[in-house]
Amino acid sequence: MDEIAVARRAAEEAGAILREKLDHVRNIEFKGERDLVTEADRLSQERIISIISEAFPGDRILCEESPDKSIIGNPGRIEGRLWIIDPLDGTTNFAHGLRLFAISIALMQDGELVMGLVSDPNSREMVIAKKGKGTYLGETRIRTSKTESLDKSLLATGFPYHITKSKDNNINHFINFTFKTQAVRRLGSAALALTYVALGRLDGYWEIGLSPWDIAAGILLVREAGGTVSDFSGGVSDPFKRQIVASNGLIHPAMLDTLRAG
């Protein structure tokens, strides 16, 4: 069975759930001071897991709302097929009725990303990448932007949930980039930000304090669209690192220099 077809069906059905629940959000819970989860998160996740498990019963699944996250501490031991799913990336936006959220579905094979999908239930845009085959919006292959300088770039970022309790909260980098770029946006969804880099709507994105389900699919979307993804030191990034820099590649050195400057 085709993994992309299964992921597409899962995202479409989960997206319908999120659209239905958007205007009457119920049962909001707090996993942390600023970290929300809603009934819609769980319903979306249940639908995605059901569809993937039925199609590929032997595959493992890592989800944001799953109780077993032990694999996060041992990413080097990933063998076989692992689906990494965020059923609702941008829960805070969703809970406030702000239509900036997404569904993210990625597949790893022996620790390597081989398929990624990010779906925006509101615009109905679904962006899909397969390793070595490019990134597509519908039938159209997409590419990252051609912006060559940081001062002409539009970037996005986000802030960790512990922003009030740790000095490592990204505020310093946000200030530095604000002075060096055309503008910096905060979308509230890492999956959407990475997708917009792949689509060329953003020139770059950076963030800290992330989880695998936030960025797994988006990493592959950017790479297969011709962009560059790394950690803050320029090393190879993967979903289990808690920091990411993604760009069109052309401004990547300048972004890394700005991050190193602190």
Side-chain angles (χ1 to χ4, degrees), residues 68-79:
D68 182 10
K69 298 187 176 71
S70 59
I71 195 171
I72 295 176
N74 300 285
R77 299 177 60 185
I78 297 174
E79 296 178 353

Side-chain angles (χ1 to χ4, degrees), residues 103-106 113-119 126-131 134-137 142-144 190-200 215-229 246-247:
I103 295 164
S104 177
I105 302 174
L113 288 165
V114 295
M115 192 278 295
L117 177 154
V118 175
S119 175
M126 190 177 294
V127 182
I128 301 172
K130 193 170 184 179
K131 187 178 183 298
T135 303
Y136 288 82
L137 173 60
I142 62 173
R143 303 282 185 178
T144 53
L192 276 185
L194 286 165
T195 301
Y196 289 173
V197 173
L199 286 163
I215 58 175
I219 287 174
L220 192 63
L221 298 190
V222 173
R223 285 177 179 163
E224 289 295 320
T228 300
V229 185
S247 77

Side-chain angles (χ1 to χ4, degrees), residues 58-166:
D59 291 1
R60 289 184 296 166
I61 298 176
L62 174 64
C63 290
E64 179 170 11
E65 308 309 330
S66 296
D68 182 10
K69 298 187 176 71
S70 59
I71 195 171
I72 295 176
N74 300 285
R77 299 177 60 185
I78 297 174
E79 296 178 353
R81 289 158 57 94
L82 174 69
W83 294 84
I84 304 177
I85 298 165
D86 194 335
L88 173 48
D89 185 51
T91 300
T92 300
N93 287 348
F94 181 87
H96 287 269
L98 181 60
R99 287 161 167 77
L100 281 172
F101 54 86
I103 295 164
S104 177
I105 302 174
L107 175 63
M108 297 189 84
Q109 174 73 50
D110 296 325
E112 185 175 17
L113 288 165
V114 295
M115 192 278 295
L117 177 154
V118 175
S119 175
D120 180 342
N122 296 293
S123 68
R124 311 296 177 95
E125 288 185 335
M126 190 177 294
V127 182
I128 301 172
K130 193 170 184 179
K131 187 178 183 298
K133 303 295 184 180
T135 303
Y136 288 82
L137 173 60
E139 300 298 320
T140 303
R141 187 166 185 174
I142 62 173
R143 303 282 185 178
T144 53
S145 73
K146 297 181 180 179
T147 305
E148 296 183 349
S149 62
L150 199 57
D151 64 332
K152 292 182 173 61
S153 297
L154 177 63
L155 306 186
T157 191
F159 301 98
Y161 291 120
H162 60 66
I163 187 171
T164 62
K165 298 178 180 178
S166 171

Side-chain angles (χ1 to χ4, degrees), residues 182-237:
Q182 197 166 70
V184 179
R185 304 292 184 232
R186 181 189 183 190
L187 303 183
S189 167
L192 276 185
L194 286 165
T195 301
Y196 289 173
V197 173
L199 286 163
R201 297 171 185 170
L202 292 171
D203 303 300
Y205 162 74
W206 86 96
E207 193 167 347
I208 60 175
L210 296 160
S211 297
W213 43 83
D214 299 320
I215 58 175
I219 287 174
L220 192 63
L221 298 190
V222 173
R223 285 177 179 163
E224 289 295 320
T228 300
V229 185
S230 75
D231 59 20
F232 282 18
S233 67
V236 176
S237 185

